[in-house]
């Protein structure tokens, strides 16, 4: 079975059991809009769109990746971060999946993204 590798938006990994494949994608953005809630939604939709581009319409699991800027004040963080998280989670739920974990760090830039994972039959995706 062919595998999609480095340089592609998603990877396809044949699993050892039952002829199933793991399809997974990772993506992230720097802020594109001024609204933190919408930024969370956009980031989630972007991650899911990598699966949709392969004909996959159901996602088994999502992880959220969030980098909070060290340049933000505590007051700004307390306001912005929950909105970004909620936007990401709401978009995931609308896409029929949920966010079950992820990683949050503090660094110089705001970055939001995620990982989307699905286990499926080889005939359920388009290479």
């Amino acid at each position: 079975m062919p595998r999609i590798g480095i340089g592609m938006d998603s990877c396809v990994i044949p699993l050892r059991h039952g002829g199933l494949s793991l399809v997974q994608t990772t993506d992230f953005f720097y802020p594109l809009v001024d609204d933190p809630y919408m930024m969370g939604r956009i980031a989630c939709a972007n991650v899911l769109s990598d699966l949709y581009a392969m004909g996959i319409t159901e996602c088994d699991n999502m992880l959220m990746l969030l980098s909070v800027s060290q340049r933000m004040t505590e007051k700004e963080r307390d306001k912005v971060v929950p909105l970004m998280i909620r936007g990401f989670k709401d978009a995931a739920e609308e896409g029929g999946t949920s966010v079950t974990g992820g990683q949050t760090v503090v660094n110089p830039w705001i970055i939001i993204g995620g990982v989307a994972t699905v286990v499926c039959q080889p005939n359920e995706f388009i290479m």
Side-chain angles (χ1 to χ4, degrees):
M1 178 198 292
R3 294 170 71 140
I4 295 179
I6 295 173
M8 303 302 289
D9 280 345
S10 299
C11 69
V12 176
I13 302 166
L15 299 177
R16 293 184 303 269
H17 309 290
L20 298 172
S21 293
L22 175 78
V23 180
Q24 195 168 52
T25 185
T26 303
D27 222 328
F28 65 89
F29 276 124
Y30 297 101
L32 301 170
V33 295
D34 291 333
D35 182 337
Y37 178 79
M38 286 306 298
M39 191 60 235
R41 291 183 62 83
I42 290 166
C44 182
N46 182 63
V47 175
L48 288 172
S49 73
D50 290 349
L51 295 181
Y52 299 158
M54 295 183 70
I56 296 171
T57 59
E58 296 180 24
C59 176
D60 292 331
N61 183 62
M62 289 193 80
L63 303 175
M64 185 181 66
L65 308 171
L66 179 61
S67 168
V68 181
S69 175
Q70 62 196 19
R71 295 182 185 128
M72 295 172 75
T73 66
E74 188 174 338
K75 184 176 180 181
E76 289 170 327
R77 278 188 222 135
D78 288 346
K79 190 167 202 161
V80 170
V81 171
L83 289 170
M84 290 177 80
I85 291 171
R86 188 166 40 125
F88 195 95
K89 288 177 74 174
D90 286 354
E93 288 175 8
E94 286 178 29
T97 190
S98 60
V99 179
T100 60
Q103 180 68 34
T104 303
V105 298
V106 176
N107 97 38
W109 313 279
I110 295 176
I111 301 169
I112 186 166
V115 177
T117 304
V118 62
V119 175
C120 59
Q121 297 288 338
N123 65 351
E124 292 181 287
F125 59 85
I126 302 163
M127 295 296 280

